[in-house]
Structure formats: C-alpha cells, structure tokens
Amino acid sequence: MSTHLPTADAQDPESSARTDRLREALLAAAFTADGLLDLLGAPAYAALARSETVPALRRTGGDGPLETLVRLFLLQRPVELRRARAALPVDDCLADGWLVQDGDEVRAAVDVRPYSGPEGQDWWIVSDLGCAVGGAGGIQGAGGVDRSQLVLGVGGASTTLAGITVRKPVGKALDLGTGSGIQALHAAQHATSVTATDLNPRALRIAALTLALSGAQPADLREGSLFEPVDGETYDLIVSNPPFVISPGARLTYRDGGMGGDDLCRTLVQQSAAYLNDGGYCQLLANWQHVEGEDWRDRLRSWVPSGCDAWIVQREVQDVTQYAELWLRDGGDHRAADDAYAARYGAWLDEFEARKTKAVGFGWITLRKSGSDTPSVTVEEWPHPVEQPLGDRVVGHFDRQDYLRSTDDAALLAGHFRLAGEVVQEQVGLPGAEDPEHVVLRQNRGMRRATKVDTVGAGFAGVCDGSLPAGRILDAIAQLVGEDPVLLRDRTPEAIRMLVEQGFLDPVDQAG
C-alpha cells in the first residue's frame, strides 16, 4: 500500500484552490463535529472518539454525503467512486493525494477528523491512517508506514494542552513537537506568526495539511529536535505536547523522546527561558519520575529556570506497573506472543528499577518569564475535575502571584477584595448540631477548588464585594465575635493570602 501523503501548497494558487474546494465540500456535507453528533448520536459518537468503529458503521450505511465521508476518512473503508463523487471533488482529491483510486473504489490516504475550535470554528485534524488516539487496541497504523514515524491524531492530551494555553494576542508563537498541528492551528488564531517544529518530517507535512484544510495561515515549519531549529530566536508563547513517555528506548517517535527517564521534559523546561520574551509563557504537558527518597515537588522545582515563575499541576500518578501496561497497550505490544510481551514488560520494569522510580506523575507545566529575583513557583497536586478552557485562569494565577509578591501585610489589610464568581459555601457537621465542624468554600468554575475556612474566614469572604478594605471588614467581624481586633488583624493575613492565591478572592484595583 502507498505511504504517500497529500499535498496542500498554500503558495500554489491551483493547489490552494483545490484545498478550498475540498473544505467547502466538507462543510456542505456537514462533516463537522456537530454534524457527526447529529448523524451518529451520542453513544456512537463517543465510541468513535475511543476508536471503536462498529457503532458508527451501523449508522452510516446510506448513500448520503456525510455518511460517505465518515466511512472514507474516519472509518477508513473503501467507497464506491460514484458515492465519493456525490460528496467530494474527487478529481481534486485524487490530484492532491487525499484519495487513492482502486478500480471503481476510492479510499482515504489519511485520517481526517472534524474538530470544533474554541469559538465554534469548523476545523479538521489530519493524521496517519489507523492513528486515532484512544482505541482499546492501541495505535495500529496503516498503509505500510514505519511505525516509528507515525503521526497521531487529536486526543485527550492535545485537547488538554489546547485548553490550558493562554490565548492572549501575541506576536510570535512556537509549537515545539507539532505532530498533527493542532497546537499550531490554535495558535494561528491569536499569534501574528507561528513556527512549528518536529523531529519527524512526516509530522511537518501533516501539520501543513491540518492548517491548510482548516483555512488557517501557514506556519513556518522546521525539522529538528527540541529548540535546535529555532536557536537564537525568542517567542511570546511556546507550547509543547512533547514525546514525554518514560520508556526503555525510543521505539516510537510520537511518544518516546530518546532521553533517559524524564530528562527530555526537564531539558525542555530548563532551556525554555532562553527562548521566551519577557512576559512570555511556555506551556507543556509532561511526565516525571517519583524517585525513592525524593519529594517529587522538589524534583520539579529544580527544573524551573531562573527568572521564571512556574505553576506545575500534577493531575495523575500511576505506579510503574500501571504505567508500563498503559504504554505497552499503546504500542500494541499486548498483541505479541506471551514471551515477547513478558520480555518487553520486564524491560520497562528494569528501567524503572535502575532509576529507583516507584511511580510516574503526569501533569501541566506553565512557565512565565518574569525576570523576578523572587520567583513564584507553585507545585501542587490536583487530580479533581476542572472546567476547561483554563487559559484565562492561568493568567489570573500569575497576576495574583504578582499581587501577593508585591503586597506586604499592611497593604493587604488596606486592600479591597471581591469574592470570585461561582463560589459557594458548604457547612459540614453532624445533623442537628448547633455549629458546623467546619466550613468549606467551593469553586464551581475553573479549577473547582475547595478549601476549609474557619468562621472568620467564611464571614470575611462572604462580605467581600470590593467596597470596603480588608482591615475594616476584620474590625467589624472582631466586634461581632468578641475578639480583639488587633489580634484578629495579626493572624488573618495568611488566610487572606491563601484565598487570593487559590482564586477565591480577587484584588480590586481602587485606582481603576
């Protein structure tokens, strides 16, 4: 079978026109995220996201254009030429290589997935056949492509990174390890120029297809590892969904970074500061080792380069056996003979044992180049559900760190605060008890944090509407509860700082 990729040359007017006609045909057939949901129904649509195709096959037996496109590009089944012509500009698709003809049938050369942009845009993510993310059988690949060079489609990791990325307008953005190009596609909406790099030349070609088919401006595509292709340049935003898997060897380019342990993620983080403009952000997903005798938080703090603030969130931890099994399935090793599977499993465990690794963490790392001599480095574990997108919350986190870093306790008590939106209070205690055992403040948006507070903290937060300074509120509470106002002012700033840091209270700028 052919291993060629389609072409979509934005510099060639004829090629560009053919790509435009293909995009118009996809839109006309409602080959979009919403169109798929309408056609397939929620259960089959959800199954397709897990790369389970049987439910979708049962819903696409008709001759309609949308059914034809689902069978071609998502289910990757041959389609009769007459059916394809009713849905697509077939001659254009054959000329540019989106389709391959076999007698009276055509088949797709690549996987094309509808994807909804943050403002409801209709986009399409291109990847290699058999490389949709999430299937129980692991990445299959198709078409004779070397497995080590496969380019995956959109999955949970890539959508997570897209959701947490800061979306302020910027001049220059870098997508390091672009893969199918989804991060570059997002960045193209708010960056004047986008550079996308990858060690795999197939990935660069596929990223170009994703951008062209989705109607985005072309990116500056460069081949190479880590920051090598952009040496000497700086950016306002760097995003990366790198090959972060901690594995015994570099068999698969899309996941294995080729460095020992978590060295690739550490190197990326440590080198990033040199490529950031002042105030710029670097955001990436990463895995890190939990090593015997080490606090994982200290391990990650040591990665943060000087002059950068950092917010690192551990979202999940797996012991080494769970981790090895996950990636053995991903690579299809579970389908090997028992002896071969046992040998590969053993190699993973040998690697972890040699590195004294007892577990592996997964999460988000955000750096902001502040140039501060007293950087803010927050490393925390938060495995609970969150509400995406979180890009604005990321900005808010660093803004609050700036405020706290520059505000002493006297200024804090003179400051004005407003309770953040969607915060509720819960009282926890035995039924019928006169007073609660404790009070919990809970966010229903963003990070959805919850924190215990005492009655003073709850009362303070509840009164904060921006109109009164914190000190006057505390004086009033002291009078109500019969406390010495001076002592209350002395002991409360720490609690106020915690509520500000975690986003329960927002400082109010009285000058504005």
Side-chain angles (χ1 to χ4, degrees):
M1 297 179 69
S2 173
T3 63
H4 80 284
L5 289 171
T7 58
D9 186 353
Q11 305 304 316
D12 178 352
E14 292 185 6
S15 176
S16 182
R18 289 194 295 268
T19 303
D20 290 344
R21 288 193 290 269
L22 172 56
R23 180 169 60 254
E24 289 164 3
L26 300 181
L27 288 169
F31 188 60
T32 63
D34 289 341
L36 286 183
L37 182 59
D38 290 342
L39 172 68
L40 301 178
Y45 184 81
L48 192 61
R50 302 189 300 270
S51 299
E52 300 293 348
T53 59
V54 173
L57 277 169
R58 294 166 66 91
R59 299 296 296 267
T60 56
D63 284 340
L66 180 54
E67 292 164 300
T68 297
L69 295 176
V70 172
R71 283 188 162 256
L72 263 176
F73 290 117
L74 298 187
L75 306 180
Q76 289 147 23
R77 298 294 198 274
V79 168
E80 293 179 12
L81 186 59
R82 64 172 183 84
R83 287 185 61 183
R85 289 193 182 280
L88 289 167
V90 168
D91 293 337
D92 288 346
C93 293
L94 290 172
D96 282 341
W98 294 95
L99 299 178
V100 178
Q101 185 170 358
D102 292 322
D104 293 331
E105 293 183 328
V106 292
R107 55 182 172 80
V110 287
D111 183 300
V112 178
R113 301 258 152 176
Y115 178 81
S116 183
E119 297 178 2
Q121 303 99 321
D122 291 315
W123 294 338
W124 295 270
I125 310 300
V126 181
S127 64
D128 273 315
L129 296 171
C131 288
V133 178
I139 300 302
Q140 303 286 328
V145 180
D146 182 345
R147 282 179 58 80
S148 70
Q149 301 301 304
L150 291 173
V151 179
L152 271 60
V154 61
S158 50
T159 55
T160 293
L161 179 58
I164 67 172
T165 298
V166 172
R167 296 299 174 196
K168 298 191 300 184
V170 295
K172 294 177 62 181
L174 170 64
D175 176 12
L176 193 152
T178 189
S180 62
I182 181 173
Q183 308 305 330
L185 178 57
H186 276 277
Q189 312 308 305
H190 63 103
T192 303
S193 67
V194 177
T195 300
T197 69
D198 207 288
L199 185 63
N200 182 359
R202 285 183 63 82
L204 297 176
R205 292 189 60 190
I206 284 179
L209 296 173
T210 290
L211 291 166
L213 190 57
S214 298
Q217 290 298 311
D220 179 4
L221 303 173
R222 305 185 193 180
E223 183 179 345
S225 177
L226 293 176
F227 290 104
E228 291 172 3
V230 296
D231 189 39
E233 301 181 42
T234 56
Y235 297 86
D236 305 300
L237 174 67
I238 299 172
V239 292
S240 184
N241 181 14
F244 52 65
V245 176
I246 299 171
S247 59
R251 294 172 54 212
L252 302 175
T253 303
Y254 68 82
R255 72 172 200 191
D256 303 323
M259 296 185 184
D262 51 20
D263 282 355
L264 182 136
C265 292
R266 176 185 56 78
T267 300
L268 200 162
V269 171
Q270 291 180 335
Q271 292 182 355
S272 62
Y275 299 88
L276 281 175
N277 292 324
D278 290 343
Y281 288 88
C282 174
Q283 298 186 267
L284 65 143
L285 305 182
N287 275 177
W288 44 78
Q289 298 169 124
H290 285 225
V291 178
E292 290 181 23
E294 267 187 38
D295 186 319
W296 66 271
R297 294 173 180 84
D298 292 339
R299 181 182 188 83
L300 290 174
R301 287 189 187 97
S302 73
W303 292 7
V304 178
S306 61
C308 285
D309 298 328
W311 185 19
I312 301 172
V313 182
Q314 180 166 275
R315 296 287 290 156
E316 184 180 359
V317 181
Q318 291 185 316
D319 68 47
V320 293
T321 59
Q322 292 173 311
Y323 189 82
E325 290 161 13
L326 169 67
W327 294 109
L328 286 165
R329 287 193 301 273
D330 170 83
D333 295 317
H334 61 304
R335 294 190 298 273
D338 290 347
D339 289 349
Y341 177 75
R344 287 180 178 171
Y345 198 151
W348 283 75
L349 297 184
D350 288 344
E351 176 80 3
F352 289 131
E353 185 174 340
R355 295 182 177 277
K356 299 183 179 180
T357 301
K358 58 184 180 179
V360 177
F362 166 82
W364 320 327
I365 298 177
T366 298
L367 305 178
R368 184 190 60 168
K369 190 168 185 178
S370 64
S372 173
D373 294 332
T374 57
S376 164
V377 178
T378 301
V379 183
E380 62 175 320
E381 185 165 20
W382 189 252
H384 309 293
V386 299
E387 181 191 49
Q388 288 272 35
L390 284 167
D392 288 344
R393 309 284 172 162
V394 172
V395 174
H397 169 87
F398 288 102
D399 286 346
R400 291 192 299 273
Q401 296 301 320
D402 286 344
Y403 172 83
L404 293 171
R405 182 164 47 197
S406 63
T407 306
D408 62 20
D409 285 355
L412 191 77
L413 292 174
H416 294 241
F417 302 92
R418 181 178 292 114
L419 186 66
E422 303 293 330
V423 174
V424 298
Q425 175 179 304
E426 300 173 0
Q427 295 184 342
V428 180
L430 293 174
E434 184 175 345
D435 296 312
E437 292 180 16
H438 57 262
V439 177
V440 174
L441 298 182
R442 186 179 301 278
Q443 301 167 353
N444 285 326
R445 304 296 298 273
M447 291 294 288
R448 293 178 172 166
R449 297 185 186 277
T451 189
K452 286 184 187 179
V453 292
D454 59 17
T455 53
V456 171
F460 178 85
V463 174
C464 283
D465 62 3
S467 62
L468 294 174
R472 286 185 58 187
I473 294 174
L474 290 177
D475 291 344
I477 292 174
Q479 187 173 2
L480 284 172
V481 299
E483 281 203 44
D484 183 332
V486 175
L487 294 178
L488 190 60
R489 279 175 172 253
D490 284 345
R491 71 175 176 85
T492 306
E494 183 179 354
I496 297 174
R497 288 183 181 277
M498 182 273 293
L499 292 174
V500 172
E501 182 177 13
Q502 294 194 0
F504 291 92
L505 294 178
D506 294 320
V508 176
D509 183 1
Q510 293 296 296

